[in-house]
């Protein structure tokens, strides 16, 4: 694993070793964390190359023309990017401990939850930006609470510990990185009116893949502060 994020002017990594999959990541990126969670949960042998997203090396655009992480690279030079696509690729390519539900309808329902959650992600960043600009966030916070309520109702109505049943599935990993960061964004109080989600977060903290990929709140706060200043050292 590259500890320091590779930046402009760095040499491109060599070939991916046989029997290994490579993840191009950035250690504070929640989208990349989705992929790391799946790799850990499925026990896949992988190596990580961290990329500086504020000073991207030219060679990285050959891996993903969009210039975003995560990107998976196989020893056969296959490249897969976008976190939901990368996670599904891993689940299908490594069938041990399947994380996606087998029933087509239930799988579709889970993916629709992912789409709903994209609106939650948007709220988190809008609130953070508004607070930094000392703007009124009351309406944004109401919207955030409302969108969280959709997931609270879903989980409470299912009467299961996790979103796909009584064990962790793909949807739990797709949502988790942003719940892990709620404290860093000073948003944990919004779980006070969501007992099912609060119980879910406590259960997720016991998951082995979550434990293997978690960062502390101080690191996230430092990253966000430096990132907002567009300082490349944020990614290290």
């Amino acid at each position: 694993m590259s500890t320091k994020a590779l930046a402009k002017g760095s040499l491109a990594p060599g070939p991916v070793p046989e029997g290994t999959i490579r993840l191009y990541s950035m250690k504070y990126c929640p989208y990349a964390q989705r992929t790391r969670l799946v790799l850990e949960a499925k026990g896949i042998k992988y190596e990580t190359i961290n990329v500086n997203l504020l000073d991207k090396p030219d060679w990285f655009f050959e891996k993903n023309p969009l210039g975003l992480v995560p990107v998976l690279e196989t020893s056969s030079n296959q490249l897969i990017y976008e976190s939901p696509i990368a996670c599904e690729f891993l689940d299908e390519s490594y069938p041990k401990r399947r994380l996606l539900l087998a029933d087509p309808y239930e799988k579709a329902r889970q993916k629709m939850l992912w789409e709903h959650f994209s609106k939650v992600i948007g709220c988190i960043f809008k609130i953070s930006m508004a607070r930094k600009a000392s703007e009124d966030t009351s309406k944004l916070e109401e919207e955030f609470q409302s969108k969280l309520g959709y997931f609270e109702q879903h989980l409470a109505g299912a009467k299961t510990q996790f979103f796909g049943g009584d064990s962790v599935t793909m949807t739990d990993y797709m949502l988790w990185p942003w719940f892990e960061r709620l404290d860093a964004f000073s948003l944990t109080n919004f779980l006070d009116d969501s007992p099912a989600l609060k119980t879910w977060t406590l259960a997720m903290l016991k998951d082995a893949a979550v434990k293997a990929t978690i960062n502390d709140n101080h690191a996230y706060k430092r990253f966000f502060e430096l990132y907002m200043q567009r300082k490349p050292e944020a990614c290290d």
Side-chain angles (χ1 to χ4, degrees), residues 17-225:
E18 193 70 35
T20 301
I21 194 162
R22 176 178 292 161
L23 170 67
Y24 294 94
S25 181
M26 193 279 283
K27 59 185 176 181
Y28 302 116
C29 175
Y31 295 97
Q33 188 182 1
R34 283 174 162 177
T35 311
R36 286 189 286 126
L37 285 163
V38 172
L39 287 161
E40 291 286 344
K42 295 178 73 68
I44 299 168
K45 184 180 179 182
Y46 71 102
E47 64 178 24
T48 303
I49 302 291
N50 283 313
V51 176
N52 194 316
L53 297 182
L54 292 174
D55 189 22
K56 299 170 188 175
D58 293 337
W59 56 259
F60 183 60
F61 290 93
E62 297 175 12
K63 308 298 181 182
N64 180 359
L66 300 174
L68 302 173
V69 295
V71 180
L72 294 173
E73 184 174 16
T74 71
S75 57
S76 302
N77 301 315
Q78 298 168 319
L79 293 163
I80 305 97
Y81 48 86
E82 293 298 318
S83 61
I85 297 169
C87 291
E88 188 163 359
F89 169 82
L90 292 172
D91 203 44
E92 292 181 351
S93 300
Y94 299 85
K96 181 182 177 183
R97 192 194 168 187
R98 293 302 292 260
L99 295 171
L100 282 165
L101 302 179
D103 180 83
Y105 174 63
E106 292 302 324
K107 186 190 295 186
R109 288 185 69 219
Q110 295 291 292
K111 290 184 176 182
M112 287 188 282
L113 276 178
W114 307 354
E115 288 300 312
H116 278 284
F117 195 70
S118 66
K119 307 300 187 294
V120 175
I121 295 169
C123 281
I124 291 172
F125 288 108
K126 285 178 185 177
I127 291 169
S128 299
M129 296 294 288
R131 285 177 175 173
K132 187 169 181 62
S134 301
E135 297 172 357
D136 177 46
T137 60
S138 55
K139 289 190 181 300
L140 287 171
E141 290 177 5
E142 286 177 17
E143 182 184 359
F144 179 56
Q145 189 74 72
S146 174
K147 292 188 186 308
L148 271 187
Y150 179 87
F151 291 87
E152 171 69 17
Q153 289 174 15
H154 181 93
L155 200 54
K159 297 180 180 178
T160 57
Q161 191 169 22
F162 301 100
F163 279 96
D166 290 318
S167 60
V168 177
T169 61
M170 186 70 80
T171 295
D172 302 289
Y173 289 139
M174 296 296 285
L175 275 53
W176 173 253
W178 286 271
F179 283 90
E180 181 178 312
R181 289 158 176 77
L182 285 184
D183 192 22
F185 286 118
S186 301
L187 293 171
T188 49
N189 58 300
F190 287 91
L191 293 179
D192 292 344
D193 295 324
S194 303
L197 279 175
K198 204 166 191 177
T199 300
W200 172 78
T201 60
L202 295 174
M204 287 297 290
L205 285 168
K206 299 175 183 177
D207 180 76
V210 168
K211 289 179 179 179
T213 63
I214 201 165
N215 269 306
D216 64 66
N217 290 322
H218 175 74
Y220 285 134
K221 288 177 180 178
R222 173 190 174 276
F223 162 74
F224 186 65
E225 182 179 338

